[in-house]
Amino acid sequence: PDIIQRFLEIEHRTTMRRAEVLADLGVDIIRRNGFYETTDFWSPRQLRQWLVPLLKEEIAAMRSGGAAVVYTVCTGIMPMLDILAELDFDAYRDIEPALGHQDMKEVAARLCDRHAIWGGVSGPMHIGEGTPEVARQAVRDAFATFGKRGLILSAVPSIRAHWPWENALAMFDEWRRL
């Protein structure tokens, strides 16, 4: 625990300094990477005890210049939905919709009254392993789950150059259509 707390302190100081610089620059969006800050790695009690107080300070610092604040999480979020719902992030980015057993309807019910969702399509499954129709259906499912307000549609975590480009084009086309 001492090593983890020391690491979190170092990361927190770095994030606070970065937030100060970015606030001075007047950036529009600041993204906080929480990829390794989920219950894939931590218990909810550890998150609440060690991380949540630091995140609250960081959110306030990042907002001081008027920026929207986005938190990247991927899998392992279901046991921590209460924590995410309480935090004042503007959006949650890269919640994996097909891998890792996230219940996207539950995510929407618990988070979308106060937070936007940035994602909705699984890069590996819908784009990488899918077909154009699979990609289109993923877009339709994201819109059906999250609606048109508060959803920033994207592939989670990204689209890779070696994946079928026709699947990415189908995702873009379906997004435009909807």
Side-chain angles (χ1 to χ4, degrees), residues 97-116:
L99 300 170
H101 309 290
Q102 270 64 240
D103 180 340
M104 299 310 270
K105 288 186 186 333
E106 181 70 14
V107 168
R110 302 273 293 282
L111 297 182
C112 290
D113 61 328
R114 292 186 42 231
H115 308 90

Side-chain angles (χ1 to χ4, degrees), residues 158-178:
S158 62
I159 297 172
R160 308 292 165 85
H162 60 279
W163 289 343
W165 186 239
E166 62 270 15
N167 296 348
L169 292 175
M171 180 185 98
F172 304 145
D173 183 60
E174 194 67 15
W175 165 75
R176 283 186 202 96
R177 191 183 72 73
L178 294 175

Side-chain angles (χ1 to χ4, degrees), residues 26-74:
V27 299
D28 295 325
I29 298 171
I30 300 174
R31 188 171 88 181
R32 169 72 161 75
N33 188 0
F35 191 84
Y36 295 106
E37 297 170 354
T38 69
T39 61
D40 286 339
F41 306 97
W42 304 75
S43 73
R45 184 182 59 78
Q46 290 171 321
L47 289 167
R48 218 174 258 296
Q49 178 183 350
W50 291 338
L51 192 62
V52 167
L54 303 177
L55 288 174
K56 287 181 177 182
E57 282 185 47
E58 292 170 11
I59 292 165
M62 289 185 247
R63 285 217 167 142
S64 68
V69 184
V70 178
Y71 194 43
T72 299
V73 290
C74 188

